[in-house]
Structures are given as structure tokens and as C-alpha cells.
Amino acid sequence: MSQQPRVVVHPPDGRGLRAVTVDGSPAGSAWSPRDLRNQLRRAGLPKETDLADRARVTWRGGGMDTWPDRPWRRRCVIALVAAGLLASMVLLVDVGWVDVFGALTFAGRITGGLFVAAGAVQGVAAAAAFDFWGKRVSRYSGALVLVGVFIAVATECAFLVLWFQKREFTPYVPVFFAISLWAVWALCVLWRHQPWKGLPHPKSFTVGLTTTAVVAVANFAYSTVYQPAAARLTFSMDVTFGKPVPDRVLPVVHLPVTVRTTNTGTVPAYVLAAGYRVAGRISTFDKSRTQFEEKQWRTAAEGPVDTELHVLPTGYQTLNIGPAIGPGLMLNPGETRESMATVQIPDDAKYDQVSGAAGIVLLRADKGRVGDEFGNPVFSWQQKKDPFFDCAPKQCPDYVMHLGRYHYNNNLMNVTRRPRYLSSYRVLNENSGQSYISVTSYNAKGKLSNRPDSQDSSGITGLQLGTTVIPFAAVLPPQPVEP
């Protein structure tokens, strides 16, 4: 008679799983008698093996009725852990994917890539949860789950810290709090199981995990805080007058004007408003004055304007106003744009000088971007109601508005803030070269907030760059000399 294989069922571990050996060789592990029979069948034993035969089966740490596993409880833990990891994965991929392809800076794309990669790790960790709370075929499954939970803890802390700065409700806020509570629970569950004990090099694992977290935080701080502060936004804007051309029919002189704008720095920027103004100066002339008067000093200081001995400026007459660059256009470093116009001035005008000035308002592209709809003008006289302009309807001047969605360059900021809208107004009057810029948000009731964001924190900079002055006599055609 041939010798029968010797089966040993070992004591249950802390989870209720019992290891099985056949003739001293591992044959798997079992949660229940049914699972034990399946393991024995895989090991080559007949399906009808009598588990009560003590000559063939040895029970240690409990008999054949000792199966402390609670399958429904274990499966619920697996389902909750896997669901939380998958939810966090979807959130991180959703946030990071936008920056991977949409961020204008390399550091911003790296941040987005790190979030997508972290989401992929959590997807693997969700699959590993089935093994860790199962028969633990892989000794790394617990470490993977632990990494996934640590990623959820770290990223949710970052989301909540950014959200707390403004404390504005967005559709993502309930998700942040839900995943945060889940992460605390999952961390407590893992702490009881101590998954790091099965690792061959737990210290190296801890160092690697910490290093990855530090790199991610440093990259986010670099792209959001340091890079915009270190790189200065520099532009040049020149206003030049061309050669005056007298009209052969009308008593006017045609004066060409060119406005040239160049991004001389290293930071791309969106144009929010850019315009020029040409004006003629009206002055009184007194050739008998021999010294400056106190009134002149005060007028010059209030201007501020130059103090002239024989000339007292009395005002400026706007001759021409226009946009220099269309709002919404982005200028990359080294890029130049020109706009040209012609100013028509009566040849008998009583001006002593003709001046040109230009200014521009910019949005740093490493701080935010504006939607394409910003380039479409909205005219006040065609709008029945405009909630973005704060004035009484009968007192509002005519204006041209540009309105568009403002997006932070880092999508972490977008998901922790209400939608922002950037508005630019150019009032149509004598000072219509001046524009009013604001970044505002909607409140919980869908109305605009009455507290706009600061322009500095939004990356908005206004510059008065181009100025030129020529004598009006240089505009007029030369007078014939009497013999």
C-alpha cells in the first residue's frame, strides 16, 4: 500500500487565514473548509479527501471547525479601500491632466505629470488591496496600498490648504473632505496590519517615499511662488511720429503715428488692454517773464510736468485715441507687434506741442490665462443689463468691455476656487485711453462678488511705457520766406 501525503493545516493568523502544507511543502492557504479542499485539489490530492482523518490531516491551533475569518467584513474593507483609492486616482488624474497639456510653463507640466503618475500608482494600489486583504501572494501588496493611502493623505492636505485660503465652495470641496476622511480611516486600518514589516528594506522604502513627496512639494512651490517672483515681466512700448503730410485739398496736416510693442523679457503675457493717445498742448506764452513764479512750481509739481519760464500750459486737447493691440492676444518673449494710425490736425490749430503716449495692461502667463472669449468686445449700448459695471444706469458712460474666464496656471488653484472672470473696460470719453481691469468671482448664489482679487496676486501688471513729444511747428509745412 502506497504512503498517503501528509497534510498539515497550521494555526490561523491574525486575519483568520490558515497556511497549508503537503509533505512539508507549502500548498497555499485557506479561509474555510471549502477553500481548503480547493487548495488540496490543486496540490494533487483527491477531491473526496477526508479532512477528519487524523492519520492524513493534522490540525494545529484549532480543529477543522476553527475558521475565525469574517468574510463579509474583510470584503467590505477591501471594497472601501479600493473605492477610496480609485476615487483619489480619478481626482488626481482629473486635476493633473489639464496641466500636463495646458500649463504654459515646464514646471507646471511637471506638476501635472506628478499628479497623473500619483493617480496611476493609486490605481495599482487599488488592485493590490485585493491581494493584501486576501492571501498575500505578493509581499509588496501591503506597501503598495500604504503608498496609495499616503498619496491620498498628502494630496488632500494640499487641496484643503489651498481651499482654506479662500474658503469658497466648488463642486470639488465635498470630494476633498470625503477622501480626506477616508484616508484617515484607511491609514488607521493599515497601521493595525503594519504592512511595512514584510518589506526587505523598509528604511529605503521610507526614504524613497519621503523624497518623492519633497520633490512634488518643491516643484509646486517653484512653479507657483518662486518662478513668477524671480522672472520679471519687461516690455518696451514706443510711440513714434512719422513725416507730416499736408493735405492738398483740406486745411489739415496728416501726422502718421506708430506704436510698437515688444516683449523684451522671458515671460509670455496676455494683453488685457493696450492703447495710445495723441494730444495737442494748449499754452499761453509770455516772453516778458524773467523768473519763475510760485504758481508755476506748484502746477508743475501737481502735474507732474516740466516747469517752463515763458510757457504756461493750460490744457490738452485729445486728437486721436485707439487700441494698440487687441485684448486677449498673447505676446511671447521677443515678439513684436505694431499698430499704425494717422492723426489729422488743422493747420491753424493753436497748439505748441503734440504728444503721444501709450500704455498696456498685461497678465503674466506663468500666473494665469484668459479664455478665448476675452477677445470678443461687448458694447454697453447693446447690453440691456450688465452686472459687471458698478454704476447707476443713467450715469454709466459708454464703454467697450472685454470679459473672459480667468484660469490659474496651476489647476490645483482652479479646483479650489470659484470661477474667476477677468473684465476690462475702456470708457469712451476724453480719457478713453485708460482701462479698468478687475478679476472677480461668483458667490454661492451665482452673483458677482463685490471683493475682486488683488491684481498683483492674479499676475496683472499695468505699464505706462511709450511717450513722445514734438513741437507743433514741426508738424506744419514750412512757411515761404518773404524776400
Side-chain angles (χ1 to χ4, degrees):
M1 183 175 180
S2 61
Q3 186 178 0
Q4 297 293 330
R6 184 72 176 178
V7 178
V8 178
V9 181
H10 295 268
D13 61 11
R15 299 175 299 144
L17 187 64
R18 306 187 71 167
V20 181
T21 58
V22 177
D23 289 338
S25 299
S29 52
W31 297 106
S32 63
R34 180 181 178 182
D35 195 12
L36 175 60
R37 290 187 182 277
N38 291 333
Q39 298 299 327
L40 296 178
R41 182 168 52 83
R42 294 190 186 98
L45 274 71
K47 185 177 181 181
E48 61 274 5
T49 300
D50 185 6
L51 299 180
D53 184 0
R54 293 184 177 273
R56 299 185 60 185
V57 181
T58 301
W59 298 86
R60 295 177 181 176
M64 62 181 301
D65 57 346
T66 304
W67 302 96
D69 175 43
R70 300 292 184 268
W72 286 107
R73 180 179 178 181
R74 178 168 52 86
R75 290 165 186 167
C76 286
V77 171
I78 294 174
L80 287 174
V81 171
L85 288 170
L86 291 175
S88 183
M89 177 196 74
V90 172
L91 175 63
L92 295 186
V93 172
D94 178 64
V95 173
W97 197 260
V98 176
D99 284 339
V100 169
F101 296 99
L104 290 177
T105 62
F106 179 74
R109 296 194 175 193
I110 291 296
T111 302
L114 288 174
F115 268 72
V116 173
V121 171
Q122 288 188 313
V124 176
F130 290 87
D131 181 66
F132 181 68
W133 272 277
K135 296 184 178 181
R136 296 185 180 175
V137 177
S138 172
R139 62 179 178 178
Y140 296 103
S141 58
L144 283 172
V145 176
L146 183 62
V147 170
V149 173
F150 268 132
I151 289 175
V153 171
T155 53
E156 295 309 315
C157 286
F159 284 130
L160 291 177
V161 167
L162 292 174
W163 171 82
F164 190 77
Q165 294 176 355
K166 295 290 185 180
R167 296 185 294 277
E168 299 173 349
F169 179 82
T170 72
Y172 288 88
V173 172
V175 180
F176 297 155
F177 280 98
I179 296 180
S180 298
L181 294 175
W182 167 87
V184 173
W185 168 82
L187 203 58
C188 293
V189 172
L190 285 171
W191 186 264
R192 292 198 299 269
H193 289 277
Q194 298 181 345
W196 55 86
K197 285 189 174 181
L199 294 175
H201 304 288
K203 290 185 178 180
S204 300
F205 169 77
T206 304
V207 171
L209 187 63
T210 304
T211 303
T212 303
V214 170
V215 169
V217 172
N219 188 76
F220 174 75
Y222 175 81
S223 62
T224 306
V225 180
Y226 174 76
Q227 190 177 37
R232 295 185 59 188
L233 185 65
T234 56
F235 269 68
S236 68
M237 201 171 190
D238 302 318
V239 181
T240 56
F241 291 123
K243 182 180 179 181
V245 179
D247 194 288
R248 296 182 178 182
V249 178
L250 301 175
V252 298
V253 177
H254 302 278
L255 178 63
V257 57
T258 301
V259 181
R260 181 181 292 103
T261 306
T262 304
N263 185 344
T264 57
T266 59
V267 181
Y270 291 93
V271 177
L272 303 183
Y276 73 93
R277 179 181 180 224
V278 178
R281 191 180 77 169
I282 305 172
S283 305
T284 58
F285 180 77
D286 187 355
K287 65 179 181 180
S288 63
R289 186 179 290 117
T290 59
Q291 63 180 0
F292 291 105
E293 299 178 356
E294 182 179 359
K295 181 180 179 181
Q296 288 179 280
W297 293 114
R298 292 177 178 178
T299 301
E302 292 172 357
V305 295
D306 295 335
T307 304
E308 303 177 63
L309 179 62
H310 299 291
V311 179
L312 180 62
T314 60
Y316 286 84
Q317 175 62 53
T318 300
L319 302 175
N320 213 62
I321 291 176
I325 305 176
L329 181 70
M330 187 174 74
L331 287 180
N332 292 303
E335 188 174 357
T336 299
R337 294 284 176 146
E338 285 188 357
S339 65
M340 294 176 286
T342 301
V343 184
Q344 298 182 7
I345 309 174
D347 57 12
D348 60 348
K350 305 301 180 182
Y351 307 131
D352 66 327
Q353 289 182 356
V354 176
S355 62
I360 191 169
V361 181
L362 300 163
L363 169 64
R364 295 176 61 113
D366 58 355
K367 292 281 285 186
R369 62 183 178 87
V370 65
D372 295 336
E373 67 277 7
F374 187 81
N376 301 322
V378 178
F379 306 104
S380 61
W381 54 91
Q382 296 178 356
Q383 298 295 308
K384 296 181 179 179
K385 184 180 180 181
D386 180 17
F388 296 90
F389 202 76
D390 186 16
C391 66
K394 294 184 179 179
Q395 299 176 356
C396 281
D398 287 339
Y399 59 87
V400 179
M401 177 182 70
H402 291 267
L403 177 68
R405 173 74 185 273
Y406 174 84
H407 301 270
Y408 292 97
N409 192 46
N410 194 304
N411 201 35
L412 275 73
M413 305 289 286
N414 292 323
V415 299
T416 55
R417 304 284 191 273
R418 286 199 202 108
R420 258 60 178 174
Y421 290 87
L422 196 152
S423 58
S424 169
Y425 298 89
R426 183 166 63 92
V427 180
L428 304 182
N429 56 23
E430 285 286 328
N431 298 315
S432 63
Q434 182 178 3
S435 297
Y436 303 90
I437 311 294
S438 67
V439 178
T440 52
S441 65
Y442 280 113
N443 59 25
K445 296 182 179 179
K447 296 183 179 180
L448 277 177
S449 170
N450 56 4
R451 292 187 299 175
D453 294 352
S454 69
Q455 294 191 1
D456 182 65
S457 64
S458 301
I460 298 175
T461 302
L463 302 173
Q464 183 74 27
L465 296 173
T467 302
T468 186
V469 179
I470 61 173
F472 183 61
V475 176
L476 299 176
Q479 300 294 327
V481 179
E482 296 182 2

